[in-house]
Amino acid sequence: MMTSSSNKTPSNNALRQQIEKWKFSIAQSPVVWLIGGLLAVRLLFILFSPVDLIADESYYWDWSRRLDYGYYSKPPMIAWVNWLSTSLLGNNEFAVRLPAALLGTFGLVFVYQLGARMFSHRVGLVSAILLALTPGQTALSFLMTIDAPFLFFWAGSLYGFWMLTSAEQTGWKWPVFTAVMIGLGILSKQTMLGFFPLAGLFLLITPERRAMWGSARVWLTALASLAFLTPVIVWNMQHDWITLEHTASHFSENSTTWMTQFARFGEFFLGQIGVVNPVLWFAIAFTLIAAVRQFPKLTAAERYLLCFSGVPLVAIFALSATRRLEPNWPAACYPAGVILTTAVFFGRSTLTNVFRNRDLIFARSWKTGLVCTLLTYAAITIVPNSPLAGSPVDITCRLRGWKQLAHEFDELTKNEPALKRSKNPLIISTAGRDITSALAFYLPKNPLIPHWSQDGAGVLCQYDLWEKPNLKARSDAIVITQVDPNLPNSLNNSFSTWTSLGTIEVELGGGRKREYEVYRTSHAPLPESTRVENVAIKPQSKVVQ
């Protein structure tokens, strides 16, 4: 017995010591608890969310069913990620949104690491927390849009390039890491190309880094990351540079009046305060202004963060004074801005006299952020079922009604011969990409639905680039249109009979609704007296052309 006891005791002690070591390690790494807890909350919210996919989500999901090296308006990463997730988990809302939660949450690890390397672990951790407690980051970790992969790779690139340019780092680990992060970011969103001038500006204005302009490691990193553009360039060469043309349209001349544009600028400005949270946004703004005023004494880390936050923010706000911009445009500016502001909060920055009471501003920043984040979740779950539904404060109108419309469409058409006698019935949409992609996602069996734009309108969306079905080979089809539509002649003339089956609609509240008309078409000949040129009419029993 003595022998047995003596044999077990060392083993038990070793196991106990290992467990204690793990506990200590986790306790000393609160970022593990932050990321794990945050991810759990976000995954549960996606799983039990009462709202539908927004139109962009179903639109990008539809791209994933036709994998390619490029698409009309964006690089291919969003389609590739969607394909991977839905191939593993099926075509459902959780599968579509899962990557957004993973990318948005794990991107905070890079924010933590960058803040910890530059200032302290405390600065890194609190930076990640403050960024997580913003309505914008909350939303972008819920909705699977192009910003989910883009911001993940942007944060990774921020961290990688800083490590690459740090004097103590040698070898090729960080050049490879940074090249991959930037390259995958380029495949996610064209905005990633802005990383290069900002990185170059940092090297130029930082004396101790200026010599790296001649560094082979830096230039090879840049060239390797740009090589990721190759498939996108090849695809655009084959499609008349349509992505470049679309991107350039964002910067084309704006013909609106100055009063209208001033109102849009105000809307954009207020939107940014709401996306971040009022207290934290102004804290970032005051920090960046102080950084510019005290520029000569800034450390390399502070100049780096200024280059990747203040500089692009000024450029974007200047652009917003000339044209309408979406509120997500400055999203990549905030990680660096939050880190610099957090360093000021904890006295780790050289910046002085930024806040009269930095502890008070810090406390108000995270408390306001927490309230705004909770309100964001509440707005998504509570407002749609309240008297506020459809009102200006209802941010969920874009996330509601699509599933119901698909159900109504299915109920209206399920007994139609055009759908019953074919394994692959032809459903055509002329009502825009939103309802087209929503029906494709929410209808049973996820049919491929071609979209017909007006003749001569050019390429307006990805559907216009995909091959249309041969209508001569089909005897009939179901067509969904706007109510009282002006049909494209090429589609109108392809069928001789157009019979309205009725309308489908969904009320969003506040007098807002979505409404579409559904037609059965065929090649049966019509008497001349019943033909109507170009415009399909609404009465349910009449046949039109």
Side-chain angles (χ1 to χ4, degrees), residues 454-487:
Q454 286 294 328
D455 299 328
V459 179
L460 303 178
C461 66
Q462 181 61 37
Y463 289 111
D464 295 326
L465 291 174
W466 285 327
E467 185 178 359
K468 299 288 192 298
N470 181 9
L471 299 182
K472 294 180 180 179
R474 308 300 291 258
S475 60
D476 46 26
I478 299 295
V479 181
I480 182 168
T481 72
Q482 301 288 349
V483 176
D484 296 330
N486 184 8
L487 295 169

Short mmCIF file of all heavy atoms in Angstrom, two decimals, residues 454-487:
data_model
loop_
_atom_site.label_atom_id
_atom_site.label_comp_id
_atom_site.label_asym_id
_atom_site.label_seq_id
_atom_site.Cartn_x
_atom_site.Cartn_y
_atom_site.Cartn_z
N GLN A 454 -33.32 46.95 -67.21
CA GLN A 454 -33.85 47.61 -68.39
C GLN A 454 -32.86 47.53 -69.54
O GLN A 454 -31.64 47.62 -69.34
CB GLN A 454 -34.17 49.08 -68.09
CG GLN A 454 -35.42 49.29 -67.25
CD GLN A 454 -36.69 48.89 -67.98
OE1 GLN A 454 -36.79 49.00 -69.21
NE2 GLN A 454 -37.67 48.43 -67.21
N ASP A 455 -33.35 47.34 -70.72
CA ASP A 455 -32.49 47.27 -71.91
C ASP A 455 -31.69 48.56 -72.05
O ASP A 455 -32.23 49.66 -71.91
CB ASP A 455 -33.33 47.05 -73.17
CG ASP A 455 -34.11 45.74 -73.10
OD1 ASP A 455 -33.61 44.80 -72.48
OD2 ASP A 455 -35.23 45.70 -73.66
N GLY A 456 -30.40 48.43 -72.33
CA GLY A 456 -29.55 49.59 -72.53
C GLY A 456 -29.10 50.26 -71.25
O GLY A 456 -28.40 51.28 -71.31
N ALA A 457 -29.46 49.70 -70.08
CA ALA A 457 -29.07 50.32 -68.81
C ALA A 457 -27.62 50.03 -68.46
O ALA A 457 -27.06 50.67 -67.57
CB ALA A 457 -29.98 49.83 -67.69
N GLY A 458 -27.00 49.07 -69.14
CA GLY A 458 -25.63 48.72 -68.83
C GLY A 458 -25.57 47.75 -67.66
O GLY A 458 -26.57 47.17 -67.24
N VAL A 459 -24.37 47.60 -67.10
CA VAL A 459 -24.17 46.69 -65.97
C VAL A 459 -24.40 47.46 -64.68
O VAL A 459 -23.65 48.37 -64.33
CB VAL A 459 -22.74 46.09 -66.00
CG1 VAL A 459 -22.54 45.16 -64.81
CG2 VAL A 459 -22.51 45.33 -67.30
N LEU A 460 -25.44 47.08 -63.95
CA LEU A 460 -25.79 47.76 -62.71
C LEU A 460 -25.51 46.92 -61.47
O LEU A 460 -25.46 47.45 -60.36
CB LEU A 460 -27.28 48.14 -62.73
CG LEU A 460 -27.73 49.03 -63.89
CD1 LEU A 460 -29.22 49.28 -63.82
CD2 LEU A 460 -26.97 50.35 -63.88
N CYS A 461 -25.37 45.62 -61.65
CA CYS A 461 -25.08 44.73 -60.53
C CYS A 461 -24.52 43.43 -61.08
O CYS A 461 -24.43 43.24 -62.30
CB CYS A 461 -26.33 44.47 -59.68
SG CYS A 461 -27.62 43.55 -60.53
N GLN A 462 -24.14 42.53 -60.19
CA GLN A 462 -23.52 41.28 -60.61
C GLN A 462 -24.45 40.44 -61.48
O GLN A 462 -24.00 39.74 -62.40
CB GLN A 462 -23.10 40.46 -59.38
CG GLN A 462 -22.41 39.15 -59.70
CD GLN A 462 -21.11 39.32 -60.49
OE1 GLN A 462 -20.37 40.27 -60.26
NE2 GLN A 462 -20.85 38.42 -61.41
N TYR A 463 -25.74 40.52 -61.24
CA TYR A 463 -26.69 39.72 -62.03
C TYR A 463 -26.61 40.05 -63.52
O TYR A 463 -26.88 39.21 -64.37
CB TYR A 463 -28.12 39.95 -61.53
CG TYR A 463 -28.40 39.33 -60.18
CD1 TYR A 463 -28.61 40.14 -59.06
CD2 TYR A 463 -28.44 37.95 -60.01
CE1 TYR A 463 -28.85 39.59 -57.81
CE2 TYR A 463 -28.69 37.39 -58.77
CZ TYR A 463 -28.89 38.20 -57.68
OH TYR A 463 -29.13 37.64 -56.44
N ASP A 464 -26.26 41.30 -63.84
CA ASP A 464 -26.17 41.71 -65.24
C ASP A 464 -24.97 41.09 -65.95
O ASP A 464 -24.90 41.12 -67.19
CB ASP A 464 -26.09 43.23 -65.35
CG ASP A 464 -27.36 43.91 -64.85
OD1 ASP A 464 -28.44 43.32 -65.03
OD2 ASP A 464 -27.27 45.01 -64.26
N LEU A 465 -24.01 40.57 -65.18
CA LEU A 465 -22.84 39.94 -65.78
C LEU A 465 -23.04 38.44 -66.02
O LEU A 465 -22.33 37.85 -66.83
CB LEU A 465 -21.61 40.14 -64.88
CG LEU A 465 -21.07 41.56 -64.78
CD1 LEU A 465 -19.96 41.62 -63.74
CD2 LEU A 465 -20.54 42.04 -66.12
N TRP A 466 -23.97 37.86 -65.31
CA TRP A 466 -24.18 36.43 -65.47
C TRP A 466 -25.06 36.14 -66.69
O TRP A 466 -25.93 36.93 -67.05
CB TRP A 466 -24.83 35.85 -64.21
CG TRP A 466 -23.89 35.72 -63.07
CD1 TRP A 466 -22.56 35.44 -63.13
CD2 TRP A 466 -24.19 35.89 -61.68
NE1 TRP A 466 -22.01 35.42 -61.87
CE2 TRP A 466 -22.98 35.68 -60.96
CE3 TRP A 466 -25.35 36.19 -60.96
CZ2 TRP A 466 -22.93 35.76 -59.57
CZ3 TRP A 466 -25.30 36.27 -59.59
CH2 TRP A 466 -24.09 36.05 -58.89
N GLU A 467 -24.84 35.01 -67.30
CA GLU A 467 -25.56 34.63 -68.51
C GLU A 467 -27.04 34.45 -68.23
O GLU A 467 -27.44 33.83 -67.25
CB GLU A 467 -24.98 33.33 -69.07
CG GLU A 467 -25.57 32.92 -70.40
CD GLU A 467 -24.94 31.66 -70.95
OE1 GLU A 467 -24.03 31.12 -70.28
OE2 GLU A 467 -25.35 31.19 -72.03
N LYS A 468 -27.88 35.02 -69.10
CA LYS A 468 -29.31 34.88 -68.98
C LYS A 468 -29.77 33.54 -69.57
O LYS A 468 -29.13 33.00 -70.48
CB LYS A 468 -30.03 36.02 -69.70
CG LYS A 468 -29.69 37.42 -69.17
CD LYS A 468 -30.33 37.66 -67.81
CE LYS A 468 -30.26 39.13 -67.40
NZ LYS A 468 -28.89 39.63 -67.25
N PRO A 469 -30.87 33.00 -69.09
CA PRO A 469 -31.38 31.74 -69.67
C PRO A 469 -31.92 31.96 -71.08
O PRO A 469 -32.32 33.07 -71.44
CB PRO A 469 -32.50 31.35 -68.70
CG PRO A 469 -32.95 32.64 -68.09
CD PRO A 469 -31.72 33.48 -67.98
N ASN A 470 -31.95 30.90 -71.85
CA ASN A 470 -32.50 30.93 -73.20
C ASN A 470 -34.02 30.82 -73.09
O ASN A 470 -34.57 29.74 -72.88
CB ASN A 470 -31.94 29.78 -74.03
CG ASN A 470 -32.47 29.78 -75.45
OD1 ASN A 470 -33.14 30.73 -75.87
ND2 ASN A 470 -32.20 28.71 -76.18
N LEU A 471 -34.71 31.94 -73.25
CA LEU A 471 -36.15 31.96 -73.06
C LEU A 471 -36.89 31.22 -74.16
O LEU A 471 -38.01 30.74 -73.95
CB LEU A 471 -36.65 33.40 -72.97
CG LEU A 471 -36.08 34.23 -71.81
CD1 LEU A 471 -36.69 35.63 -71.80
CD2 LEU A 471 -36.33 33.55 -70.47
N LYS A 472 -36.28 31.09 -75.33
CA LYS A 472 -36.93 30.36 -76.41
C LYS A 472 -37.07 28.88 -76.09
O LYS A 472 -37.95 28.20 -76.63
CB LYS A 472 -36.14 30.54 -77.72
CG LYS A 472 -36.13 31.97 -78.24
CD LYS A 472 -35.34 32.07 -79.52
CE LYS A 472 -35.34 33.51 -80.05
NZ LYS A 472 -34.56 33.66 -81.30
N ALA A 473 -36.19 28.41 -75.21
CA ALA A 473 -36.24 27.00 -74.85
C ALA A 473 -37.20 26.72 -73.70
O ALA A 473 -37.39 25.57 -73.31
CB ALA A 473 -34.84 26.51 -74.47
N ARG A 474 -37.82 27.78 -73.14
CA ARG A 474 -38.74 27.61 -72.02
C ARG A 474 -40.14 28.00 -72.46
O ARG A 474 -40.35 29.06 -73.07
CB ARG A 474 -38.31 28.47 -70.83
CG ARG A 474 -36.85 28.30 -70.41
CD ARG A 474 -36.55 26.87 -70.00
NE ARG A 474 -37.21 26.51 -68.76
CZ ARG A 474 -36.58 26.46 -67.57
NH1 ARG A 474 -35.30 26.75 -67.51
NH2 ARG A 474 -37.25 26.13 -66.50
N SER A 475 -41.11 27.17 -72.13
CA SER A 475 -42.49 27.45 -72.54
C SER A 475 -43.17 28.44 -71.62
O SER A 475 -44.10 29.13 -72.04
CB SER A 475 -43.30 26.15 -72.58
OG SER A 475 -43.32 25.54 -71.29
N ASP A 476 -42.73 28.54 -70.38
CA ASP A 476 -43.36 29.46 -69.45
C ASP A 476 -42.40 29.80 -68.32
O ASP A 476 -41.34 29.19 -68.17
CB ASP A 476 -44.66 28.89 -68.89
CG ASP A 476 -44.51 27.44 -68.44
OD1 ASP A 476 -43.38 27.04 -68.09
OD2 ASP A 476 -45.51 26.69 -68.44
N ALA A 477 -42.78 30.80 -67.52
CA ALA A 477 -41.94 31.25 -66.41
C ALA A 477 -42.80 32.02 -65.43
O ALA A 477 -43.92 32.43 -65.74
CB ALA A 477 -40.80 32.12 -66.92
N ILE A 478 -42.26 32.22 -64.24
CA ILE A 478 -42.86 33.09 -63.24
C ILE A 478 -41.96 34.31 -63.12
O ILE A 478 -40.75 34.18 -62.98
CB ILE A 478 -42.99 32.40 -61.88
CG1 ILE A 478 -43.88 31.17 -61.98
CG2 ILE A 478 -43.51 33.37 -60.83
CD1 ILE A 478 -45.32 31.47 -62.32
N VAL A 479 -42.55 35.51 -63.21
CA VAL A 479 -41.78 36.75 -63.19
C VAL A 479 -42.25 37.60 -62.02
O VAL A 479 -43.46 37.83 -61.87
CB VAL A 479 -41.92 37.53 -64.51
CG1 VAL A 479 -41.09 38.80 -64.46
CG2 VAL A 479 -41.50 36.66 -65.69
N ILE A 480 -41.32 38.09 -61.20
CA ILE A 480 -41.64 39.02 -60.12
C ILE A 480 -41.13 40.40 -60.51
O ILE A 480 -40.01 40.56 -61.00
CB ILE A 480 -41.05 38.57 -58.76
CG1 ILE A 480 -41.45 39.55 -57.66
CG2 ILE A 480 -39.54 38.40 -58.84
CD1 ILE A 480 -41.16 39.05 -56.25
N THR A 481 -42.00 41.39 -60.35
CA THR A 481 -41.70 42.75 -60.79
C THR A 481 -42.12 43.75 -59.72
O THR A 481 -42.77 43.40 -58.75
CB THR A 481 -42.47 43.09 -62.08
OG1 THR A 481 -43.86 43.25 -61.76
CG2 THR A 481 -42.33 42.00 -63.13
N GLN A 482 -41.77 45.01 -59.94
CA GLN A 482 -42.39 46.07 -59.17
C GLN A 482 -43.86 46.15 -59.55
O GLN A 482 -44.27 45.67 -60.61
CB GLN A 482 -41.70 47.41 -59.45
CG GLN A 482 -40.23 47.46 -59.14
CD GLN A 482 -39.95 47.47 -57.64
OE1 GLN A 482 -40.84 47.64 -56.82
NE2 GLN A 482 -38.69 47.28 -57.27
N VAL A 483 -44.68 46.76 -58.71
CA VAL A 483 -46.09 46.91 -59.04
C VAL A 483 -46.23 47.85 -60.23
O VAL A 483 -45.56 48.88 -60.31
CB VAL A 483 -46.87 47.45 -57.82
CG1 VAL A 483 -48.33 47.70 -58.18
CG2 VAL A 483 -46.77 46.46 -56.67
N ASP A 484 -47.09 47.48 -61.19
CA ASP A 484 -47.28 48.24 -62.43
C ASP A 484 -45.94 48.51 -63.12
O ASP A 484 -45.54 49.66 -63.31
CB ASP A 484 -47.99 49.57 -62.16
CG ASP A 484 -49.39 49.37 -61.63
OD1 ASP A 484 -50.01 48.35 -61.98
OD2 ASP A 484 -49.86 50.23 -60.86
N PRO A 485 -45.25 47.47 -63.51
CA PRO A 485 -43.87 47.65 -64.02
C PRO A 485 -43.81 48.11 -65.45
O PRO A 485 -44.72 47.90 -66.23
CB PRO A 485 -43.31 46.22 -63.91
CG PRO A 485 -44.49 45.35 -64.18
CD PRO A 485 -45.67 46.06 -63.53
N ASN A 486 -42.70 48.73 -65.77
CA ASN A 486 -42.32 48.99 -67.16
C ASN A 486 -41.30 47.93 -67.51
O ASN A 486 -40.12 48.05 -67.17
CB ASN A 486 -41.74 50.40 -67.30
CG ASN A 486 -41.44 50.75 -68.74
OD1 ASN A 486 -41.79 50.02 -69.65
ND2 ASN A 486 -40.79 51.87 -68.94
N LEU A 487 -41.72 46.90 -68.19
CA LEU A 487 -40.87 45.73 -68.42
C LEU A 487 -39.80 46.00 -69.47
O LEU A 487 -40.04 46.75 -70.43
CB LEU A 487 -41.72 44.54 -68.87
CG LEU A 487 -42.72 44.00 -67.85
CD1 LEU A 487 -43.67 43.01 -68.52
CD2 LEU A 487 -41.98 43.32 -66.70
#
